[in-house]
Amino acid sequence: MTLILTRSTIRALLADRAEAVEAAVARAHRDLARGRAVLPAPPAMRLPDGDGAFVAMAAASATDRLATVKLLADLPGNRAAGLPVQRSTVLAMDADTGACAALLDGAELTRVRTAAATAVATRALARTDATTLGLIGTGPLARAHARALLPGRPYEQVVLWGRTPERAHALAAWVTAELGLPAKALDDPRAVTEAADVLCTLTPSREPVVRGAWLRPGQHINAVGAPPRPDHRELDTEAVVRCRVVVDAYDTARAKSGEVLVPLAEGALSEDDFRVELGDVLTGRAPGRTADTELTLFNSVGVGLQDLAVARMLIDLAGERGTGVPVDLGS
């Protein structure tokens, strides 16, 4: 039987599970560093009559006994029609039998695992005395990051910016009401960047929204929002060059991340500048933060192994709780 997990079911299963998701994602990155998981660079398929892309994000894990592929549809034209620009579905197969274990809606899963990866990286790379969290972007990914990053950490305030002031003020009010921390919408990305100890960029921007001249020593930046397209980036070249860069996966960053590919094409970076993966830091093969004044950058494109780790967790939780819809695909 194949378990069908809808968005609402996934949301219910993951409610109040931020720490468990973070642990699962961290373990997946350690497994990758130790050779217990496989994560090829995802191919992008483009049709000749549009600017959309279909990205197949595959992974396999010896620890979780799963092989998965998430098919991500990245369709900028949807925006004009009032539809989501990105949609995705995850197919999970049992690594021992090849049976189709589950089919999962990708939207909530992706938001939660993306925020969990940022939380893992922030714990490993940010200063322990960071008190101000900055968010650039006000969509669902921003809320997911606030939920993942704030609990149990010594932040004293949140500062944020979005292109629509009403949404920015609404997000600030939500952070204060739901998460109990003072939050304030600022006038522009520069003000947020300059105020933040930990900065998360959460926009689907093609052109940089953060400039290197705005950064100050000791900050940690999570570049999260840009879609997996080589010409999209949220940080300019100077910002990336000023930072010590850690990526979620080198092969994926080398194929999909504008944050590294644009500076690489400009000759401002070499490939050795972004070979360190998050799993290398988590397993001690590479250092985390090396000095209080160091600028660190987690460049996150999002990888299929993170989807797999959360899919494993969801399949197990659904089995324990008797939820989801079982379907016999072979009937």
Side-chain angles (χ1 to χ4, degrees):
M1 301 294 283
T2 299
L3 186 65
I4 308 297
L5 294 178
T6 64
R7 188 175 309 174
S8 59
T9 299
I10 290 170
R11 186 177 294 116
L13 288 171
L14 292 179
D16 301 318
R17 306 279 304 182
E19 289 186 6
V21 176
E22 183 179 333
V25 169
R27 190 196 70 238
H29 280 279
R30 288 194 296 268
D31 283 346
L32 182 62
R34 291 168 175 158
R36 291 191 54 78
V38 180
L39 183 64
M45 300 170 284
R46 289 182 169 83
L47 297 175
D49 58 351
D51 64 349
F54 300 89
V55 183
M57 303 172 64
S61 168
T63 300
D64 287 323
R65 309 309 303 165
L66 277 184
T68 61
V69 61
K70 179 171 76 177
L71 186 59
L72 167 67
D74 180 29
L75 303 171
N78 274 6
R79 186 175 287 110
L83 298 172
V85 171
Q86 292 190 343
R87 286 172 161 168
S88 61
T89 304
V90 178
L91 172 68
M93 299 185 73
D94 187 289
D96 297 314
T97 68
C100 183
L103 191 66
L104 307 92
D105 178 78
E108 188 70 15
L109 184 157
T110 299
R111 277 194 288 270
V112 170
R113 64 80 155 146
T114 301
T118 299
V120 171
T122 301
R123 192 182 296 277
L125 297 169
R127 291 174 54 153
T128 57
D129 61 352
T131 59
T132 299
L133 174 65
L135 305 174
I136 295 179
T138 57
L141 195 58
R143 295 196 178 208
H145 273 71
R147 285 193 183 281
L149 287 170
L150 291 177
R153 295 175 175 88
Y155 296 112
E156 296 175 357
Q157 64 173 340
V158 177
V159 293
L160 58 94
W161 174 84
R163 296 186 189 279
T164 305
E166 293 79 10
R167 293 183 64 180
H169 288 291
L171 176 60
W174 176 85
V175 169
T176 300
E178 294 293 324
L179 303 177
L181 202 67
K184 181 168 57 175
L186 302 184
D187 292 336
D188 53 47
R190 179 170 186 165
V192 173
T193 300
E194 291 178 342
D197 299 312
V198 173
L199 176 68
C200 299
T201 62
L202 306 162
T203 73
S205 182
R206 183 167 188 164
E207 300 299 329
V209 293
V210 171
R211 304 288 173 181
W214 305 343
L215 302 180
R216 55 182 169 79
Q219 287 177 304
H220 172 66
I221 300 98
N222 300 296
V224 181
R229 290 172 172 249
D231 60 344
H232 284 59
R233 58 177 179 159
E234 297 177 287
L235 275 61
D236 72 359
T237 296
E238 182 184 354
V240 177
V241 169
R242 290 188 63 190
C243 295
R244 176 166 167 260
V245 181
V246 176
V247 299
D248 41 20
Y250 169 79
D251 287 340
T252 301
R254 183 67 180 83
K256 303 294 180 188
S257 173
E259 245 78 39
V260 297
L261 290 174
V262 174
L264 187 64
E266 294 173 349
L269 281 183
S270 73
E271 296 203 14
D272 287 342
D273 291 320
F274 61 95
R275 284 191 182 275
V276 175
E277 298 183 349
L278 180 57
D280 296 326
V281 175
L282 298 179
T283 57
R285 296 184 179 186
R289 173 168 291 274
T290 61
D292 283 347
T293 56
E294 185 176 44
L295 273 162
T296 53
L297 167 63
F298 176 53
N299 178 227
S300 175
V301 183
V303 294
L305 188 60
Q306 297 163 354
D307 300 316
L308 184 153
V310 180
R312 173 79 278 166
M313 179 179 166
L314 287 166
I315 292 167
D316 293 344
L317 282 171
E320 293 170 8
R321 299 183 186 180
T323 192
V325 180
V327 176
D328 184 358
L329 295 182
S331 63

